[in-house]
Amino acid sequence: MKIFKISSVAVFVLTILGMVSCSNKKFQVSGQISDAEDSVLYFENMSLNGPVTVDSVKLAGDGSFDFSGKAPEAPEFYRLRIAGQIINVAIDSTENIKVKASYPVMSSQYEIEGSDDNAKIKELAQLQIDLQNRINATVNDPRTGVDSVQVAVAGILQAYKEHVKTHYIFKEPMKAYAYFALFQTYQLGNMQALVFNPRANADDVKVFAAVATSWDTFYPKAERGINLHNIALEGMKDVRILRNEQAAGQIDASKVSVAGLIDIALPDNKGMTRRLTDLKGKVVLLDFHAFGAEGSAKRIMDLRDIYNKYHAQGLEIYQVAVDGDEHFWKTQTAALPWISVKDGSGQVLRTYNVQVIPSFFLIDRSNSLYKRAEQIKDLDAEIKSLL
């Protein structure tokens, strides 16, 4: 057998050519969005820090578009967007994705070709829309009470999670669509939350960990895989803390007021312990807020308007902050006129089953829970009815 030897120079040249070839690999996303003439179509990368515009085009009469970019080394996520209408797209290497849709129903009615991942993501998007419709129908059913809504929504979410875990996530955890499924959300009232919540649910932590482990194998050192590991580790810690607190003792009857709510007793921003039950005789807006969250300033201004309008008539705001930095919290609340306390352990959040921030409850003058945020369409009108 004749053996050919390649010189070190040749190896170097071949290596460089290979690197250039890899760096020139592109993906393409093209297609048509009909009934959208003169609309701006954005092509956005869904980075770990939020959406980043990669390109955009003002659509002509035929609605055609063509975007391209450097092929990623691990699955990456993009979206096509016109105003609030979105089509999610996963890119794994050099796909040529074709999309066909019509505005303004492109989010729910579109065709996509070019990869199995994107076909599965479309299925997940449609399942998510159906999930949201069922939650909305439950919340808006006038025959359903506060407690019944919580139970019903929890049941809907659990069934959805079991279906998605079985048919999408655990089936092929290394796939882009499995990663996509982890971060699906639902809307409850005016608040948004993750379907899979690794901060408070041990089973959900396992789901994140399964995908993280699979990505370690198929996409070692990928930024998204590392991020999944961090989420899973933080979730394990949070769940362990929650279990320790529960093991230390459940809420006993003495913590429940005669009026029918669980009391809160926390130090305010001046160090004075403030009890929720001390506000009997007033209408109370029990508010859960994060001052470090996006939109905090506007929400505080809205609460000021409500407070200024109704405080003299008997309204009080008891605001529970969930920010970790105590100095930051005290600085943010120093000039606020209402009661400001901080839930450092998260126990109050769990007691009141608060899964999304911001959130609030209305408490009537008898110190009984009246309604939670998801059941209130017009806060102003509800407060007036209780005063």
Side-chain angles (χ1 to χ4, degrees):
M1 182 190 299
K2 191 172 183 179
I3 299 175
F4 294 92
K5 293 184 179 180
I6 301 176
S7 70
S8 59
V9 173
V11 171
F12 177 76
V13 171
L14 289 172
T15 302
I16 294 297
L17 288 173
M19 291 172 64
V20 171
S21 174
C22 289
S23 66
N24 286 335
K25 287 183 178 179
K26 299 282 187 180
F27 68 83
Q28 183 180 35
V29 180
S30 60
Q32 289 181 308
I33 309 292
S34 62
D35 300 324
E37 185 174 2
D38 293 331
S39 297
V40 177
L41 175 66
Y42 293 93
F43 184 55
E44 299 171 325
N45 173 223
M46 297 306 294
S47 76
L48 293 177
N49 295 316
V52 177
T53 300
V54 176
D55 202 352
S56 64
V57 63
K58 187 173 183 180
L59 296 176
D62 65 354
S64 62
F65 65 90
D66 192 341
F67 300 119
S68 63
K70 181 181 176 182
E73 295 181 0
E76 193 52 66
F77 298 88
Y78 296 84
R79 70 182 187 185
L80 298 165
R81 180 177 65 83
I82 299 178
Q85 288 289 307
I86 291 167
I87 296 174
N88 291 291
V89 179
I91 301 295
D92 184 0
S93 189
T94 57
E95 282 106 343
N96 185 354
I97 307 299
K98 299 286 187 181
V99 178
K100 187 175 181 181
S102 177
Y103 187 77
V105 292
M106 56 187 272
S107 290
S108 57
Q109 301 175 32
Y110 67 92
E111 298 174 13
I112 190 162
E113 300 176 354
S115 79
D116 291 337
D117 268 320
N118 284 298
K120 294 291 187 182
I121 286 174
K122 177 185 176 182
E123 291 175 14
L124 285 163
Q126 291 173 334
L127 286 171
Q128 185 179 11
I129 291 170
D130 179 63
L131 169 69
Q132 189 61 63
N133 288 338
R134 285 185 288 140
I135 289 174
N136 292 345
T138 300
V139 171
N140 295 328
D141 188 341
R143 299 167 298 177
T144 310
V146 179
D147 294 336
S148 298
V149 165
Q150 292 183 28
V151 172
V153 170
I156 291 169
L157 285 171
Q158 188 58 39
Y160 181 85
K161 287 161 68 172
E162 289 301 321
H163 177 77
V164 170
K165 281 192 294 185
T166 303
H167 297 283
Y168 295 91
I169 298 177
F170 289 155
K171 187 175 182 180
E172 293 183 298
M174 80 295 294
K175 293 290 189 177
Y177 71 81
Y179 182 102
F180 176 84
L182 293 179
F183 296 96
Q184 286 193 299
T185 61
Y186 66 96
Q187 196 85 13
L188 205 54
N190 63 344
M191 294 162 289
Q192 195 173 54
L194 286 168
V195 172
F196 292 94
N197 180 11
R199 297 295 303 275
N201 188 303
D203 289 335
D204 292 353
V205 173
K206 293 176 184 177
V207 176
F208 272 79
V211 178
T213 301
S214 186
W215 275 53
D216 274 350
T217 302
F218 287 86
Y219 317 108
K221 298 182 180 179
E223 186 180 12
R224 289 185 182 275
I226 294 170
N227 184 56
L228 286 179
H229 265 298
N230 291 337
I231 292 172
L233 289 172
E234 284 297 315
M236 289 176 189
K237 183 175 71 175
D238 290 341
V239 169
R240 187 163 55 248
I241 291 171
L242 174 58
R243 283 176 174 170
N244 289 341
E245 289 176 348
Q246 290 174 336
Q250 300 294 326
I251 297 169
D252 57 43
S254 66
K255 293 185 178 180
V256 182
S257 71
V258 175
L261 61 76
I262 299 172
D263 197 13
I264 301 174
L266 290 171
D268 65 13
N269 50 4
K270 299 177 180 62
M272 181 183 301
T273 298
R274 307 300 296 267
R275 288 187 172 276
L276 186 59
T277 51
D278 288 343
L279 300 177
K280 188 173 184 178
K282 295 181 178 293
V283 173
V284 180
L285 178 64
L286 172 59
D287 186 65
F288 294 88
H289 185 82
F291 286 90
E294 183 180 354
S296 169
K298 182 184 184 304
R299 187 165 185 275
I300 291 299
M301 289 177 64
D302 291 341
L303 287 176
R304 274 186 179 275
D305 290 342
I306 291 172
Y307 184 87
N308 292 339
K309 188 174 182 180
Y310 294 114
H311 179 63
Q313 300 175 46
L315 174 72
E316 185 57 81
I317 296 177
Y318 188 104
Q319 187 168 60
V320 181
V322 297
D323 301 86
D325 188 326
E326 185 162 352
H327 176 72
F328 171 75
W329 164 66
K330 286 184 176 179
T331 301
Q332 294 295 310
T333 60
L336 297 181
W338 53 75
I339 298 170
S340 299
V341 301
K342 190 167 84 72
D343 181 20
S345 68
Q347 182 62 51
V348 175
L349 289 179
R350 293 186 284 273
T351 298
Y352 274 83
N353 193 29
V354 176
Q355 298 184 14
V356 290
I357 298 294
S359 185
F360 65 86
F361 296 78
L362 271 181
I363 298 168
D364 64 22
R365 291 185 185 273
S366 69
N367 223 205
S368 296
L369 284 177
Y370 173 64
K371 287 184 180 179
R372 63 185 301 147
E374 301 84 58
Q375 296 178 298
I376 298 175
K377 294 181 178 179
D378 187 337
L379 179 59
D380 195 271
E382 295 285 5
I383 291 174
K384 278 183 182 178
S385 71
L386 293 177
L387 288 172

